[in-house]
Amino acid sequence: MTATDGPSPNGGGPGDGPEPTTGAYGASAAGGSPGGETPAAGGAPIGADPGGHRQGDTVAAVVRQWQAVHPGLDTGPMEIIGRINRCAALLQQAEDAPLRRAGLSRPEFDLLGALRRTGHELTPGELARETFSSGAAVTKRLKQLTERGLVERRGDTRDRRVAHLRLTDAGRELVDGVLPAQLAYETAALSGLDAPGQGELAALLGELLAQLEGRLGALRS
């Protein structure tokens, strides 16, 4: 699984960017920091508040405002989940230039990537699980990808209601051509963190994701 795999709230085509979302409890992901604070160019920190947080961090400003309104409030969860939401919104708004040049949305590339990395045919339901998407969204995207000649369907001989999907030669070539450029693009997006920092962040996010998947999956079952 690459950084492109995973849920996306936007099922549209290229250029259909997500609506500006609330990055953290009132911090708009599309705008600047509350209180008029603006991060330095290139994301460099402006400074740190007494708690050690970067003043150029939008969520830190939000936390300070909530603490002023509710001094006894535990803002610990906000400082983690708010930053995750804010980072996700900013990365989505960046649009992914290599995918855009290939005429693909990120959710469409996730479907193509799932078919490529698993190495075998998948049903629409299996693709929905692989990409954390709804069945309706997968059906819409598969129609577009099939019309472009990137994915082909094969009917099930025992159940005509079931379709098996695989990449065409053109689809396989597109994925293999775009993936290195997309990974380079994502490497540049993470270049502000050194290798140890990236490793530590990946491990922490992996631990959090595993816990959430287990807990929320149990609630859904």
Side-chain angles (χ1 to χ4, degrees):
M1 178 175 287
T2 73
T4 63
D5 292 311
S8 174
N10 173 34
D16 293 337
E19 292 292 324
T21 59
T22 298
Y25 310 90
S28 171
S33 305
E37 295 187 17
T38 304
I46 294 175
D49 64 20
H53 300 120
R54 291 162 43 145
Q55 290 183 352
D57 180 338
T58 304
V59 176
V62 172
V63 167
R64 289 195 296 272
Q65 290 177 338
W66 277 117
Q67 288 175 341
V69 175
H70 293 289
L73 196 67
D74 178 10
T75 58
M78 184 186 303
E79 297 183 44
I80 296 173
I81 294 175
R83 287 186 171 95
I84 291 174
N85 288 341
R86 170 75 170 165
C87 287
L90 290 172
L91 288 170
Q92 289 165 9
Q93 288 175 4
E95 286 195 33
D96 306 315
L99 301 185
R100 189 171 65 252
R101 287 194 295 267
L104 292 171
S105 68
R106 177 177 284 261
E108 289 172 339
F109 187 69
D110 286 347
L111 288 179
L112 297 176
L115 289 169
R116 183 68 174 113
R117 60 182 164 78
T118 56
H120 56 78
E121 295 179 338
L122 295 172
T123 66
E126 290 169 338
L127 276 170
R129 289 190 293 273
E130 284 285 338
T131 59
F132 312 101
S133 303
S134 70
V138 167
T139 298
K140 176 183 176 182
R141 293 164 195 157
L142 284 173
K143 182 177 184 295
Q144 296 168 338
L145 295 171
T146 301
E147 289 174 350
R148 289 184 59 182
L150 302 175
V151 173
E152 60 186 5
R153 293 172 174 266
R154 179 181 64 82
D156 192 291
T157 56
R158 293 172 297 183
D159 188 344
R160 287 181 295 178
R161 296 171 299 178
V162 177
H164 299 273
L165 300 134
R166 62 187 175 192
L167 292 178
T168 62
D169 290 341
R172 190 177 301 106
E173 289 179 9
L174 182 61
V175 172
D176 290 350
V178 169
L179 183 57
Q182 179 64 21
L183 289 173
Y185 181 85
E186 294 176 356
T187 296
L190 296 172
S191 61
L193 292 175
D194 59 19
Q198 290 186 32
E200 181 179 0
L201 178 60
L204 289 171
L205 289 174
E207 183 178 346
L208 174 62
L209 179 59
Q211 292 180 12
L212 290 176
E213 286 179 338
R215 192 178 310 144
L216 299 181
L219 292 175
R220 287 194 298 266
S221 60

